[in-house]
Amino acid sequence: MYAIVEIAGQQFKVEKGRTIFTHRLEGDADAALVFDKVLLVDDGGAIQIGAPGIEGITVNATILEHLKGEKVIVFKKKRRKGYRKKNGHRQYLTKIRIDDILV
């Protein structure tokens, strides 16, 4: 059984027991989350598609930790002009575990 859920503006395919990384969410570690914007559910071949969401189905999750992602280097250059600029960026992330999909 899996579901497609919208979390913090992004869509994720979630299954029970799976851990995913999302954009930073509100809440402390070990806090419980409930996501009710479920877009699709596959329960053993029986597929339900929402327009835009399915009512009555929720996904329960737990926040494991807050962390920062890998560093991304942003490098800009204009040839023959002597222009070079180097910046770095680390995205704030939240690691969550999917506890249950309630149909």
Side-chain angles (χ1 to χ4, degrees), residues 1-17:
M1 175 181 211
Y2 71 88
I4 306 294
V5 181
E6 185 173 324
I7 302 171
Q10 292 183 318
Q11 295 177 7
F12 293 95
K13 179 181 177 182
V14 297
E15 298 173 5
K16 184 177 178 180

Side-chain angles (χ1 to χ4, degrees), residues 21-25 65-70 91-95:
F21 293 94
T22 65
H23 290 301
R24 183 63 60 99
L25 299 173
E65 63 178 327
H66 296 291
L67 55 127
K68 289 172 84 173
E70 303 252 338
Q91 186 70 34
Y92 291 105
L93 301 173
T94 299
K95 183 178 181 181

Side-chain angles (χ1 to χ4, degrees), residues 16-88:
K16 184 177 178 180
R18 190 171 198 184
T19 61
I20 59 174
F21 293 94
T22 65
H23 290 301
R24 183 63 60 99
L25 299 173
E26 295 291 325
D28 297 326
D30 296 329
L33 299 173
V34 176
F35 302 110
D36 58 353
K37 190 146 188 190
V38 179
L39 307 174
L40 180 140
V41 173
D42 182 5
D43 189 10
I47 297 176
Q48 295 179 354
I49 300 174
I54 304 171
E55 293 184 15
I57 297 178
T58 59
V59 175
N60 296 334
T62 304
I63 295 176
L64 298 178
E65 63 178 327
H66 296 291
L67 55 127
K68 289 172 84 173
E70 303 252 338
K71 184 169 237 182
V72 177
I73 303 298
V74 180
F75 185 74
K76 300 177 182 179
K77 179 181 178 180
K78 293 185 180 177
R79 63 182 191 159
R80 298 188 298 269
K81 306 292 187 214
Y83 172 79
R84 294 186 305 182
K85 185 172 288 277
K86 181 180 178 183
N87 285 323

